[in-house]
Structure formats: C-alpha cells, structure tokens
Amino acid sequence: MFNKEYESMHPSKIKAIQTERLKWTLKHAYNNVPHYKKAFDKAGFNPDRFSSLDDLKYVPFLMKQDMRDNYPFGLFAVPMEKVVRVHSSSGTTGNATVVGYTKSDIEVWAEVVARVLVAAGGTEKDIIQVAYGYGLFTGGLGLHYGAEKLGATVVPISGGNTERQLMLIKDFGTTILACTPSYAVNMADYAEKNKPDYDFKSTRLKAGIFGAEPSTENMRKMIETKIGIDAYDIYGLSEVIGPGVSCECSEKNGLHIFEDHFYVEVIDPETGEVLPEGEQGEIVYTSLTKEACPVIRYRSRDITRIYRDSCKCGRTLVKMEKVTGRSDDMLIIRGVNVFPMQIESILMGIEGTEPHYQIIVDRKGALDDVEIMVEVNEKVFSDKLGVLTALEDRIKDRIRSALGISVRVKLVEPSTIQRSDGKAKRVIDKRTLT
Amino acid sequence: MNLTQLSIFLENKPGRLQNALKVLADNNINILTLTIAEVSDFGVARLIVNDPEKAVKELRSSNFICSKTDVLAIELEDVPGSLLKALETFSKNSLNIEYMYAFTEKRGDRAVMIFKFEDIEQAKKALLKEGYNVVKRIDLAGE
Ligand SMILES: [Zn+2]
C-alpha cells in the first residue's frame, strides 16, 4: 500500500474523518461558490448544522448541467491565483465542463494515483508508459503525476503512434502500461497484424492500468492473454478529480474507493433516494479535501453498487463494482433497458469477435430499430458466405436471449467504424436527432 | 496443383470493390478471374490473381480483410452436359463442393471451372483417377 494508514484504516475511524472533512467542504462551498449558496438556501440546508454523514441526504445534488451552466470558472471556490491548473472535458462551449486544481489538489490527486499504481503492483523501480492523452483530458497528466509521486520512471508518450508505443515498450523495458482498454486492444491488434515477430511476452511488461472508458471482464481476459499482463481497472471522473477515485487491487474483484478523499452514496436514479449499501444504483460523489472545485453530491450517472468485504489485499476501503453502465448511456429499446457494455460483453463472448462495434438506434415507424455494426477481422473471416451469415445469426441470437431484444447485425469492414486512439463512439442514437 | 484463391470481404456500398481492385492494380497484380458472392449487406470477392501472396499483403495494409484458400481448376469439355457429368462424378465419389465458378478464359476447346471442395486432397485423388485434367497455376498465369 502506498498509504497504509489511510488505506487500511478501520471503517469507523474513516467515517469520523469523513464527517470532519465534509463539514469543512460544505462550508467552503457555501461561503465561496454562489451556486452552492443559492442551492443550499433554496433547499433550506444550513451547513453549520451538519453533524453526521446521514445529514448529507438533505443536501441538493450537483448535476452535470450545473457544471455546464457555470462554465468556465463559476464553481471555483478559490481565487484564480490559487488555481495552478485547469482541465476540461471535451465538448463545445456550453457542453464542456471545466475543473480547477490548487497546489494541494494536485498533491492529493498525485497521492491517489500513486495508491492506484501500488495496488497494481507498482514500485519506484517500475517504468510506466503513460499512453493516455496529455492535455485538457485528465488521463495523461493524472497518471503522470501519480507515477512521479511514487518515484517510478515515467515515459510520457501520450496517446497514439502505436508503432512507437511498441518500440518503446521493447527498448525502454516498460513494465506498466497505462491507457484506455480499447487502445490496449488496438495495440495488440496492430502488433498481430503488422509486426508478426513482435512478442509482448518477451518484453518486461507486467501490468496494465486501464480506464477512462467502461470495459468488461471479457475484455480484461482478452488483453491479459494477448499482451501477457495483469490488467487492472482504474476509475475516475474529471468532475471529481480525474483518474484515481478508485482502483482494483491484486484481487481484481471490485474497486477500492479512496474514501478519505471521496465520499460516495448510491441513489435510485429515478427518485434520488439513498440506497442501502449493496444495492445497485447511480453512484454520487462528494469531494472531501478539494479546494479549487469542491463537488457536493455530484450525480455521476454511473451505475454500480458499493459494498464492504474483508479484501485479501488488506485494504479496508469500501469497494464499488466495475461500472456496468451509465444511466446516460442507457438505451431504452422497446421498453427494455440496455447498456452498450452488455452488448460488448456478448460480442466478446463470441469467439473471435473483437470489440470493434457500433450500436445504431433509430425509429422505424413507431418501433425502435437497432442495428449493430460489427467489424470483421481475419479470425472470423471466411471465404464461405454461410460462415459469415451464421456469425451474424449467432450474435443476433445471443443478444435476443441475453437482453430480450431483437436487433439487426451487420458485418462491416474495419474502416467503417470510426476509430480513435482515445474513446470509441459506441452508440449513435438517431432517435434524439429528430 | 492447388490454385490459390484470394477472398476479400466487401461491404455492399459504392466504391468498395473499386478500392480493392485499385490496390491490386497499383501493385501490378493481374486478375485472371473474379466472382462475387453476396448477401444483402456484404459479399465476398473471390479472385485468382498472378501473385496471391503479394495481393494479400497489400490488401491487408490497406485495411481489407482477406484470406487465401486452396481451390482446384478443372478442365471440362465445352459441350452441353459436361458440367452435369462432372457433378455426377463428384457425388459418386462423395466429394462435397462448397462453391464453384467459371473461369473466364477458355483453354482451346475446353472450359475451366474453379471448385472449392470440402476436402481438396480427396478430391484431387478422385479426379485424377477419373481422368480429369486439374490445371496447374503456372498454366493459368500464362507463364
Ligand atoms: Zn483489495
């Protein structure tokens, strides 16, 4: 553990620390951010009267729209001279969310990312290749500062240029790779296709820290087999801090949340009611130590559940399940709730189908129409048409039996689905365009 | 005497076949025959070319999904009923055909058909025994 004291603290002691830190955060936000003052006053909530974690349920939520409405710096709680860095989500004006960090915020962020790296087996001896994009996106710099904090060697290559990524893994003796899971798959595919003599197993690569987009167990297995490493999930949101809110440990079942910095609740996304531990719902975040951009009850839209177990790694921190979907991403198809990740998981489960796909939802008459474009690869391709149409049917059947919806499946060439080195666009919902 | 057939995955949208053919042309690869099998959304182009190894390499580097398959090119008399006779011979020998197509050029007074057998080795043995002429690659390439 990078910080044994906090990571293995008794839950009752963590709760006491959270209560103290929350008192400070609520006052800090109320006194310095007009949005919070207005929202608290309107809800009749007085931060001075806050005494236990339970009282948090009276505090209004912070919505993504609130962040957009306060673009760019409206939610900053410190004067600009205290802000040493800003990050922003992609998006045009009116859609982007901007977050700021003080020196102390950057320090906290580096600390939690260092914890993530240690949980994945990292030490100061490791060479960490950061293949997340550097820039306004929090991935690159987030991992970078954490790796430096740990004292490891950082290779700040950023995203893209796969040929060079592979070369540096070999030449520099990279031991840990940090990028999005889809980029890791791209890298493996690229090597397989263009560099037949490139052998990941003869490199020093031992672990990967993959995040910034949802992934499935199948995808983990595929990366682990193709690249010959242990793949760990890292989770975070730029609104909360960036990558490093939670991470997997050696057990790879559930992500430990760094509770001394982030307080979590799980709510019913419909009613906003707080659900008991163990129940599935939307996870809501409250920062406990952030100075520049405190977030209070931020609605993440991520669907998961939180629970405590006695984890073999020794951490006592509460765990969250791998995020199975976003309530934003949730598609309602003929009345059925469908998460793109479920479809991804099914595609992965069908032998040889790589996770390059796109879901296109449209309305034909009164009915929702779903088409899933799946890229053909060398492994599933056949000179016989029947083999290919059978693959389409198999995908269709699995989706129908697993999700209860019928879809059309269309095999496409690799160039059809737009591919980027960062996040892939998985869903096109044309129903909202009209 | 196996012939190497090149198979290319093509979506049914304008320009895809042209793009694949352009890759071949740009790399000086000659097409000896081409046929397309398709369903509504996609098809598979099957080609006999003079340099299948190079064709596969170049197509892949242009992001096409393709593969090589062993097929047999068989000479048939260019008279009514000769294909039927051949098919009867195949079924007599329990040879399953996955698909077949005609070769564009004739060899003298004989037609050439390409056959994809389920078991190519078994097919070769049976056909030679039955007196069929299995055309070698070198003949077709006109070299
Ligand atoms: Zn653990």
Side-chain angles (χ1 to χ4, degrees):
Chain A
M1 278 174 247
F2 183 75
N3 190 333
K4 199 163 191 314
E5 186 194 349
Y6 282 97
E7 291 180 77
S8 61
M9 190 174 267
H10 192 274
S12 63
K13 210 170 156 195
I14 277 272
K15 286 217 156 80
I17 290 173
Q18 286 179 324
T19 311
E20 283 319 301
R21 291 183 172 178
L22 249 174
K23 273 184 199 163
W24 172 81
T25 298
L26 290 166
K27 278 182 209 157
H28 176 58
Y30 184 82
N31 293 333
N32 297 298
V33 184
H35 167 83
Y36 285 116
K37 180 167 188 340
K38 218 169 94 193
F40 289 10
D41 285 347
K42 198 175 155 206
F45 173 77
N46 180 351
D48 287 328
R49 292 219 299 269
F50 176 86
S51 62
S52 84
L53 293 175
D54 226 29
D55 294 343
L56 197 62
K57 62 173 180 278
Y58 304 116
V59 180
F61 293 115
L62 177 69
M63 313 301 283
K64 183 133 191 150
Q65 193 56 45
D66 295 326
M67 302 199 83
R68 290 175 179 155
D69 293 346
N70 283 282
Y71 176 89
F73 305 144
L75 291 175
F76 287 15
V78 297
M80 279 313 275
E81 62 261 33
K82 295 281 178 207
V83 175
V84 298
R85 197 194 301 164
V86 290
H87 279 284
S88 173
S89 68
S90 53
T92 48
T93 316
N95 261 324
T97 55
V98 179
V99 285
Y101 301 78
T102 65
K103 267 189 185 146
S104 151
D105 294 337
I106 294 282
E107 193 50 38
V108 167
W109 190 14
E111 148 101 24
V112 289
V113 174
R115 294 184 192 176
V116 172
L117 294 167
V118 172
T123 70
E124 70 275 3
K125 293 199 182 91
D126 279 299
I127 298 175
I128 303 178
Q129 190 158 324
V130 179
Y132 282 111
Y134 278 64
L136 283 172
F137 171 56
T138 50
L141 286 168
L143 265 293
H144 184 107
Y145 275 64
E148 281 188 357
K149 174 94 184 169
L150 174 63
T153 309
V154 186
V155 183
I157 185 165
S158 192
N161 201 343
T162 309
E163 184 76 34
R164 190 136 183 248
Q165 301 273 3
L166 294 169
M167 186 181 89
L168 296 193
I169 288 174
K170 211 165 84 187
D171 295 352
F172 289 2
T174 300
T175 55
I176 297 178
L177 173 67
C179 61
T180 60
S182 66
Y183 190 51
V185 173
N186 275 0
M187 261 193 217
D189 283 354
Y190 181 90
E192 209 172 273
K193 196 166 133 194
N194 302 299
K195 304 171 84 75
D197 51 342
Y198 193 92
D199 180 15
F200 278 104
K201 279 156 200 154
S202 68
T203 67
R204 294 185 59 218
L205 215 52
K206 63 172 188 189
I209 293 169
F210 302 119
E213 64 187 20
S215 67
T216 59
E217 258 329 295
N218 282 327
M219 200 150 170
R220 184 212 304 274
K221 272 184 216 132
M222 179 169 147
I223 292 172
E224 290 191 333
T225 339
K226 282 198 170 186
I227 311 190
I229 53 170
D230 281 303
Y232 299 94
D233 239 25
I234 179 174
Y235 171 89
L237 307 84
S238 64
E239 293 85 351
V240 178
I241 201 158
V245 172
S246 67
C247 72
E248 284 181 333
C249 60
S250 52
E251 301 306 305
K252 292 186 200 161
N253 66 344
L255 294 88
H256 290 287
I257 299 167
F258 299 117
E259 292 183 272
D260 49 331
H261 295 291
F262 316 106
Y263 181 75
V264 292
E265 302 163 278
V266 168
I267 62 160
D268 178 334
E270 300 294 319
T271 63
E273 215 175 300
V274 180
L275 299 171
E277 266 186 19
E279 276 187 40
Q280 194 181 60
E282 177 181 340
I283 190 161
V284 171
Y285 293 94
T286 301
S287 67
L288 298 175
T289 49
K290 265 174 87 183
E291 295 175 340
C293 258
V295 285
I296 294 164
R297 303 199 87 199
Y298 177 63
R299 298 273 305 251
S300 69
R301 298 284 168 198
D302 283 342
I303 304 289
T304 183
R305 68 188 190 95
I306 57 171
Y307 60 99
R308 287 180 198 275
D309 62 2
S310 44
C311 193
K312 285 198 195 104
C313 75
R315 288 175 185 80
T316 49
L317 299 165
V318 72
K319 275 181 169 175
M320 62 190 272
E321 263 176 6
K322 222 172 168 42
V323 170
T324 49
R326 277 218 139 156
S327 57
D328 280 353
D329 293 344
M330 190 179 81
L331 293 163
I332 301 177
I333 294 164
R334 287 170 230 134
V336 180
N337 294 352
V338 175
F339 293 108
M341 291 207 17
Q342 296 172 306
I343 289 175
E344 175 164 338
S345 190
I346 289 164
L347 290 175
M348 294 282 308
I350 293 173
E351 199 195 358
T353 310
E354 313 243 337
H356 295 310
Y357 67 96
Q358 195 165 55
I359 303 164
I360 298 157
V361 191
D362 205 347
R363 187 159 283 148
K364 292 248 165 94
L367 272 185
D368 295 328
D369 175 79
V370 185
E371 177 173 83
I372 301 178
M373 295 208 296
V374 182
E375 273 184 15
V376 171
N377 59 45
E378 302 282 344
K379 243 178 275 163
V380 298
F381 176 59
S382 164
D383 56 310
K384 282 169 280 190
L385 276 184
V387 173
L388 296 170
T389 50
L391 174 68
E392 285 188 336
D393 290 341
R394 200 156 78 235
I395 297 170
K396 250 184 269 184
D397 289 347
R398 295 259 179 103
I399 290 174
R400 187 167 36 226
S401 59
L403 306 179
I405 54 165
S406 44
V407 299
R408 288 183 296 119
V409 173
K410 184 177 175 186
L411 296 180
V412 298
E413 290 174 35
S415 48
T416 305
I417 297 172
Q418 249 191 1
R419 188 101 94 261
S420 66
D421 288 326
K423 302 189 183 195
K425 184 142 181 80
R426 296 306 194 195
V427 180
I428 295 178
D429 195 340
K430 293 182 178 167
R431 296 175 300 182
T432 53
L433 297 179
T434 49
Chain B
M1 64 179 63
N2 294 358
L3 209 58
T4 305
Q5 171 194 284
L6 176 65
S7 312
I8 313 171
F9 180 82
L10 293 173
E11 267 176 66
N12 285 354
K13 60 181 186 190
R16 291 313 292 159
L17 178 63
Q18 283 94 312
N19 289 351
L21 296 182
K22 187 167 187 310
V23 172
L24 299 179
D26 288 348
N27 288 284
N28 261 326
I29 295 163
N30 264 331
I31 299 166
L32 304 164
T33 195
L34 175 145
T35 174
I36 295 176
E38 57 186 342
V39 289
S40 64
D41 287 337
F42 63 85
V44 176
R46 299 170 182 144
L47 298 83
I48 306 290
V49 298
N50 64 341
D51 189 347
E53 300 292 331
K54 187 174 167 196
V56 164
K57 193 174 144 264
E58 297 300 338
L59 285 166
R60 282 188 183 157
S61 74
S62 297
N63 263 322
F64 281 96
I65 297 292
C66 57
S67 68
K68 290 178 294 178
T69 316
D70 280 351
V71 293
L72 293 181
I74 299 165
E75 274 189 5
L76 299 174
E77 269 181 277
D78 197 13
V79 294
S82 66
L83 178 59
L84 176 67
K85 212 175 103 206
L87 294 180
E88 282 166 357
T89 312
F90 301 158
S91 72
K92 190 178 79 193
N93 287 280
S94 322
L95 300 174
N96 285 331
I97 304 164
E98 288 176 340
Y99 53 80
M100 60 181 176
Y101 50 95
F103 202 77
T104 24
E105 273 173 71
K106 278 184 193 155
R107 290 162 57 86
D109 59 345
R110 322 206 99 200
V112 177
M113 289 283 295
I114 307 280
F115 290 94
K116 166 79 193 294
F117 289 101
E118 207 176 76
D119 184 339
I120 190 167
E121 292 310 315
Q122 196 199 343
K124 256 188 300 194
K125 243 183 270 166
L127 290 172
L128 291 177
K129 206 176 76 198
E130 298 277 350
Y132 280 90
N133 186 21
V134 178
V135 182
K136 291 183 190 116
R137 169 206 170 101
I138 194 144
D139 298 327
L140 284 172
E143 282 159 13

